[in-house]
Amino acid sequence: MTVIVIFFFFILIGLPIGVTLGIAGIAGLIQIGGDNFLMMAPKRFFEGLDLFTFMAMPFFILAGEIMNRSGITQKLAAFADALVGHLRGGLAHSNMIASVLFAGMTGAAVADTAAFGNTLVPAMVKKGYSRPFSCAVTVAGSIIGPTIPPSNLMVIYGSLMGVSIAGLFAAGILPGLLICVLCMAVIALLGKRLNLPKSEEKFSLIRIFWAFKSSFLAILMPGIILGGILFGIVTPTEAAAIAVFYALFIGVVVYRALTFQDIVEMLIRTSRITGIVFLIIASASILSWWMTFMQIPQKIAAFFLFLSSDPKVIIALILGLLLAVGMFMDINAALIILAPVLGPLTTTIGMDPVHAGIMIVLALNISLMTPPVGACLFVMSSVTGERIERISMALIPFLVVEVAILFLIAFWDDLTLFIPRLLM
């Protein structure tokens, strides 16, 4: 109980989550065996990062940075606009399509939010869309990024739980596309009620051809990453390294949009982001060891099974817990703490490990767009200057749809496992 109080106290006073996890973990070690157990802290800290697959994360982050800086975002947005820009609310539809195209490059929702917040939101406002709605569409589409592979959260989950990362990547494709399609349906339904603008440009195959030709090298990148991983040619870490090389080649040689100074700044930013994530992972491993020693996962599983033995009820309880925790905690930390707790529980009720992983990852992704601690909300607010509460209100229709998709995926495993089964 003392450890939990310490954890929430430091969270409430605003201490960084990585530091908070470390302090709580050390407090747990002292609670177990006094000063003698403190020597466990550095051992657990470094062992928490001693997984080769974690090397994929900084490479995917750097690849996303390069694609952002080299102007790929604008080219993808132009291609998406050529496809659906002629519809009512065309730019909003384009925003969603661009999120799907961009998803295969970054693996992080916050990166997508920042990229499109700087480019598509001003373009939408200029065309007559309200700023809160433009922000909401962008935030809703941003969680497609870490759902359609590559995904940093899937890398973490697969590494911690011993689940195939390639399987998780394959399983995320259909849920990500479903989010895009149903969010576009929401935009279509809101089109007349909100009087969303309609482009004067007509549908044109020639325009699509030229937009596709301009963005072809960027669109090819997800195919290289996913194809290599899913067909067993490269590991996720090797694919991430190839993605960096490919992105650099496009940015420096083909588009000539990157300078040496840009590369230095991108390396520094990647190091900072990676450092934050790795500090959270390493510190959480101390707390996770304490939780394992205290048999907390078994106690939580026993409590859930005490409430009900019906797998559907237990799945609903798990989803409620994930959505609630994600509203108040960094999702990387939440995943590292809860995965060892919930993973065995999902196995107990007969869920496939890949299916359970996608369910957990998607639930935490959705929490990125929920107040009070939704990271995508804060990034969008800082990038555009729009108030968080106004964005949150405009997000409600999209949030309802995405939570419904989450429950659909949780209770219908064929939707998640269809592609992995094809590749077996």
Side-chain angles (χ1 to χ4, degrees), residues 87-245:
L87 303 173
R88 180 172 293 281
L91 267 182
H93 290 299
S94 301
N95 198 323
M96 285 293 167
I97 297 291
S99 292
V100 171
L101 297 175
F102 203 61
M105 302 174 194
T106 62
V110 174
D112 291 13
T113 301
F116 292 131
N118 276 320
T119 54
L120 292 183
V121 170
M124 290 177 69
V125 172
K126 187 176 180 180
K127 289 289 185 180
Y129 294 82
S130 72
R131 189 179 299 276
F133 179 79
S134 304
C135 293
V137 170
T138 305
V139 170
S142 68
I143 73 160
I144 296 173
T147 305
I148 294 179
S151 167
N152 290 333
L153 277 184
M154 291 180 192
V155 171
I156 294 174
Y157 185 87
S159 301
L160 290 176
M161 304 304 295
V163 178
S164 167
I165 295 175
L168 290 169
F169 279 8
I173 295 173
L174 284 182
L177 294 176
L178 184 61
I179 291 171
C180 174
V181 170
L182 293 188
C183 283
M184 289 178 70
V186 171
I187 294 168
L189 290 172
L190 294 174
K192 288 187 177 180
R193 188 164 71 85
L194 298 180
N195 194 27
L196 298 179
K198 184 177 181 179
S199 174
E200 295 179 0
E201 292 193 49
K202 302 295 182 181
F203 179 79
S204 169
L205 290 176
I206 295 176
R207 183 183 172 211
I208 292 175
F209 171 77
W210 286 111
F212 175 76
K213 183 179 179 182
S214 176
S215 58
F216 174 73
L217 289 175
I219 296 171
L220 191 62
M221 182 174 169
I224 293 173
I225 296 172
L226 290 181
I229 294 172
L230 298 181
F231 291 103
I233 301 171
V234 294
T235 66
T237 304
E238 291 166 345
I242 292 170
V244 170
F245 178 80

Side-chain angles (χ1 to χ4, degrees), residues 269-327:
R269 178 170 167 78
T270 299
S271 299
R272 286 175 177 169
I273 296 172
T274 303
I276 292 170
V277 175
F278 278 11
L279 175 62
I280 291 171
I281 293 172
S283 298
S285 69
I286 303 174
L287 187 62
S288 294
W289 188 89
W290 170 80
M291 293 173 67
T292 302
F293 187 90
M294 299 297 290
Q295 296 188 324
I296 291 177
Q298 293 90 327
K299 292 174 182 176
I300 293 177
F303 175 69
F304 275 30
L305 291 170
F306 170 76
L307 292 177
S308 176
S309 59
D310 186 342
K312 293 181 180 179
V313 174
I314 293 174
I315 290 173
L317 290 171
I318 290 173
L319 293 179
L321 175 64
L322 288 167
L323 291 172
V325 170
M327 290 175 66

Side-chain angles (χ1 to χ4, degrees), residues 391-407:
I391 301 174
S392 299
M393 290 299 296
L395 260 172
I396 290 175
F398 299 101
L399 185 58
V400 170
V401 165
E402 291 183 0
V403 170
I405 293 171
L406 171 63
F407 276 84

